[in-house]
Amino acid sequence: MEATMAELLVCERFHPRHDPRWLLELPPSPLCLACAIETLQDGGASLVRKKHVLSCLRDVLIRHATLVMPLLAQDERVCAHFIATLFEILQTVEDGSVLDLLIEVLVLLVVGLKLERYLHYLLDECQKELCKVAATRSSLPMFILLGKLADSIPIFADVWVVEHSNMMEHLAAGLMYPNESIKAAVCYLYGKLYSVPSAAERLFVHFTERLCGLFLTTLKNSQTKELQVNCMGLLKQLLKYDKFVSFIMSNSGKGADSASPELFERESPLPLMIKKLLLSRDEVLQVASAQCMAAVLVHSPATYAPAFINADIPEFLFECLFCMSEILTWSIYCCLLLLTEEQLFFSKCHTVYGIEPILRSLKEILHLNNVELQKQGLLLFTEILKWQPAEIKLFTNTSVFKNAVSVLLEALNCPILEVAAEAVKAVAAILRKDHVTIPPVLYRELQKLVEGVLKRCSDLPLPILNRRLMGQPGSRHQNKTVSQQGQFLQSALESFRNACRLAVESQNDPVAQENSFTAPNSENEDTLKSFSEFLLRISDSLCIPIVMKYSEKAVHPALMEVLISTLNILFSVMPDSSKRFSMKLASSSFIQLNLELKAKFCTAQSNPGLNHACSSFLHSICLNLHSSSKKPEDSSQEVHDLSELLQKSLPQLNFGIQESLSLLSETPESFCLDETLRSHQYSLLLLFYFAFSQGDKFVPETELFSAMRSFLLSIQDQGDCPPPYVFKAVLYLLAICQDKTEALDLASLSAIRRILDSISDLSLVYVHHPLLLNFFLRYPEFMGRFGHRILHLWLSCEDYSHTESEDTDKRLSAGFSDSLNNFNSLLCMLKGNLSALLVLLDLVCVGTSEVAHKVLITLKAFLKIDENVHVCDLLRSQFLQILQNLLVENNSSVLQVNQAQPLLLNLLFLVQLRHATERELDSTDFRLLHLVSNLSGKCSPTDHEILHPSLNYLYWSLQQTTPASQKTVVAMLFSNTPLLELLEKIIHLTWLPTCSSEPALPSSSEALLCSAWLLISSLLTQQHIYNTEVDHVICLDVDQVFSALAFKRKKPTLFFVSILQFLRAFFRQNLCSSFVKFAVRSTDEHGNELPQSEGDASLCPVAMRHVVSLVIRLQNLLLQKDLLLSQTVIGCLEVLLEYMYSRNPITASHIVSQPWNKFLLISLLDSVDNSFLHPEILRLVALFIRYQNTRIISPIEIGRILEEAASTKLPELSDVTISALRSFLVQLQRGKCQVDSTQAASVQTLLESLPSTSRSQPTFPGMICLGGVAVSLSHIRD
């Protein structure tokens, strides 16, 4: 078989006469070109043989063109003969495969030889054949050859139209022949001719006169795919040129005039033909038709789109989106994008019909790897969202909107930044009111979108700018990446801005307020309020931090412009929160940021958009901060003036910090009114003030203070008087900077004083801040003239509702740290400032009741920290005057209690409490004592607030003074009968019947009772000492007094201590006093006569049952193991047994020898680790030894006490323990208990070794406050 094939390539019959040069030694077998030509000419050669030769020639021309073409070019005669031979065969052969080979070899020869004459030869021969062909059917090979030549030779079209244009008629005739193969070949050739612009220009007339109608008819009636594809190919070539498009579409609709369907039906069917092809199931035809439509629209969408829209082609485009072909989807996207430029596309609701197919298509392509297709689809969606008319709802139901949100979220999460960037733009477009008000408004879905955009931004890597790499090849890619990130962030910010704008626009729309489908009585989170709160929250947590972090590397004016304008809109998102939001922004240095942006990017009229955004932001934040500090009574005119000043000046304030300070120091020329300079200075002062007031001290304080001083001198020289809201800023800034600079000079002080004198209401320039108060208190020039008004303003603004609490930690944890800090700051200012103290005291008399109350609270706290005795003397004299005024105002027998009186009396007591030792009372003290006692006498027992400090003060006057003064005090008090009657009424409140589950009295009442019992016990003692005359006798029911000692856990310890102190004093006087009398009942509560015991007569006025009940109650109280209570109980027990022993020794011994006393001692020992060396234990043991022998205390226990005392370092014991131990040892030495000689010696040794109790000063004060009750320790321990 190989030999046969070789014979075909080298024919033995022809080869001997051929020149050897035509023999090509090529693998796998040699080829003689001359033999091949003669074989093709040989009429006797079979078609198969000729086909093989043609195939071999094609292969040689393709593979070995560099050998063959130079060989053929050596002899043009052979070349011409070769081409002519092939062309002759072309006319006679009907086999399609042979024709294809012939055409291919011919084309290869003509192209390879690169000689134009061979092309002319073929064109001439084709023309001859086309002219003499009887039937057009045989012209198919010619048209195919011409098409292939046109496809392979670039100059073919120009040669054709210039030198062979008469052949065009043959082409037109071919389109009329009823053979679609010929038509397809002709369309292919036409397509190649019109693909060359120069040829297309020459052939335009042919097209208009002959081709257009034939072509459109051919396209309309085409049946085979080959013809349809070639027609679409020709159409694509024609549609490249504007005038061809215009001519074709002039028969298919005339722009906007074709909106009438009736007109459209009379015109050329190009849109209908495209619709027909779109309806076909053939993807190639659908792609071609979409591309042709796009080719028409790209010339002028406004002109040509209506024809396609009126033909309803958009609907068919949307239907084609259900395919899975990427190229078809791309083509449709391109068509639809061009249609979006025509309003008719939207007004005919095509987008409403197609939104679901678009969303479904986007969902599919997002799973592909075709980035450009994804970008194109998202761009189409964005354009539809952007240009959809507001009156036509794009989303007709919530499910479609949710699908859109789902698609956008998926696109946002795409790892390709370019795709996500297109998604962000779509999000910005969908955040439009007419898109989201379906209803209901799906605010939760909008939150997902906004959060998705910002979280995608947070995933962006920070830009890395390395200047050393600038200009290198790798830096271009890096710069492109940084640019893409910046554009993405800017688009994301625009989306967030649109969301904020949407929230603001929805505030006046009832439909957008909340979900109307919410069930009754149920809380719905899908509301405008929740969405607005979300926007504020996410701006703080994501939006602002992302932009600021990105801008740390490089600041982009366009990006910052969007951020600042967004923040400006956020002020209106939730008007109720705008003040708080402004404070947070100001405290986060956003005033400084805006000023820096203006100084850096907005000078010389550059970046006007950024300048406008920054100026608007500063204007809004200043007004919000002003309104947050504005009082309700402030006029709206001030707000208007402030707004107008800022609006006029802010756009021109594009200065840096140093330039701003220099501007502030400038003085306008005296001969001209430079209002602009003053306006700029005022605006700068306001900006500095609002920034400083929120803690952003971005201007050096010393430099600012210097500039402010220059400003003061300037306005003093010019005689200017700034508006109050500006001068308020001046005062505040001076006060803030004062601590770090030197004091103001007299000229500056004069300027300030002149302006303050011109302001009738200082509240207009007052800012509630400790440093401003300190500024006024610091300078005598201000203190004397404005001190009263400033302190009045300060106290009026302060919240003292929690300042009276004793627990500072609780106040801090409860969130009152600011008020507490202000309070402490005021106390520090008052130290050493007697002028301020005098002003405060004046405010008690001349100020409002609220201010007077706050002054007294302040002085009360001040007295606890200040140790200056001169201050106390000053306060006492002032208190005397105030109390006199109070008594003058309350000249009736019944006192009208106000808020200031209790505080004033508390202060008076605190002043007295500052004296730790006894002192002689002076005339002021006695006058105060007289006033307080008279004031108290006018009170009722329910006036706890005023009686409590009064009784404390009277008690102190009795206990903490010298005997000479004490006698006078006692006489004054006993001469005040209303006071004594009041005391009796108060202590009768002790046994008021109450429910067992509730405390007997409020805590204030219990404190008052304690004070009353302590005062009566002290009066009882002093009256006995000085034998003072008594005008009123207090009568008490002994059963009620003893019953009050029944232990109740809800009673404070001091309650029992105060009653026991009274009983102790009364028993010391043997229950016989001209001041107090015990009344004893003879019958019980049912009227039955109480039985009398044998010892009742000796114990009169008490009975045996009273003694037993009292002892039991004392033992119960002793078991509570409270130190103060134990001391008082044992003291009371001592005087009780002494009283009983003096009246009936047997009864006293009987009480002491009861077994329960042994159990009592054991219980007490258990609580002190079985140690006897405790003062209460020793006093109790000494008491038992004194009134009985060894029934309770055994010799073993006595020996143990002596051993423990002998082994203890006696000097280390407390005075109280030493006194108790000495009393115990004395009882043993007196023989109250039998001891052996060893123990007696030990007793003597211990007595001699005991140190004196007066060896050291007591570490405790004479008077203390327990639960607000004044208690004299010397009185309790006596």
Side-chain angles (χ1 to χ4, degrees), residues 16-36:
R17 61 174 182 261
H18 295 158
D19 192 321
R21 62 178 176 158
W22 301 112
L23 180 62
L24 301 175
E25 296 291 342
L26 300 172
S29 57
L31 169 66
C32 178
L33 290 177
C35 290

Side-chain angles (χ1 to χ4, degrees), residues 473-624:
S475 66
R476 294 181 181 178
H477 176 71
Q478 178 182 337
N479 292 341
K480 180 182 178 182
T481 303
V482 172
S483 176
Q484 287 179 343
Q485 292 174 353
Q487 287 295 326
F488 183 88
L489 187 55
Q490 184 173 337
S491 299
L493 271 180
E494 289 171 355
S495 300
F496 185 69
R497 180 173 62 181
N498 287 357
C500 298
R501 189 178 289 120
L502 171 63
V504 174
E505 291 173 354
S506 301
Q507 290 173 358
N508 297 323
D509 186 359
V511 177
Q513 287 295 319
E514 59 180 285
N515 188 352
S516 57
F517 301 105
T518 306
N521 301 324
S522 64
E523 185 176 353
N524 179 27
E525 297 180 358
D526 206 6
T527 61
L528 176 60
K529 180 181 178 183
S530 62
F531 180 61
S532 301
E533 291 172 348
F534 160 78
L535 291 176
L536 283 176
R537 188 169 59 251
I538 203 168
S539 70
D540 182 46
S541 61
L542 276 179
C543 180
I544 297 175
I546 288 172
V547 179
M548 300 311 295
K549 194 172 183 181
Y550 184 86
S551 300
E552 288 177 358
K553 303 291 182 181
V555 180
H556 301 278
L559 179 64
M560 299 310 295
E561 178 184 342
V562 180
L563 173 65
I564 301 303
S565 61
T566 303
L567 294 178
N568 203 22
I569 297 174
L570 274 170
F571 289 134
S572 304
V573 167
M574 289 194 72
D576 294 341
S577 303
S578 61
K579 298 176 184 177
R580 186 168 64 252
F581 184 59
S582 299
M583 291 178 183
K584 186 159 191 177
L585 289 177
S587 64
S588 302
S589 303
F590 269 82
I591 293 179
Q592 176 187 0
L593 172 66
N594 278 264
L595 290 175
E596 289 176 351
L597 289 173
K598 285 166 64 66
K600 186 174 183 180
F601 298 108
C602 301
T603 56
Q605 304 299 319
S606 57
N607 294 305
L610 177 61
N611 190 23
H612 175 72
C614 292
S615 300
S616 299
F617 173 83
L618 291 172
H619 176 264
S620 298
I621 197 172
C622 288
L623 288 183
N624 287 334

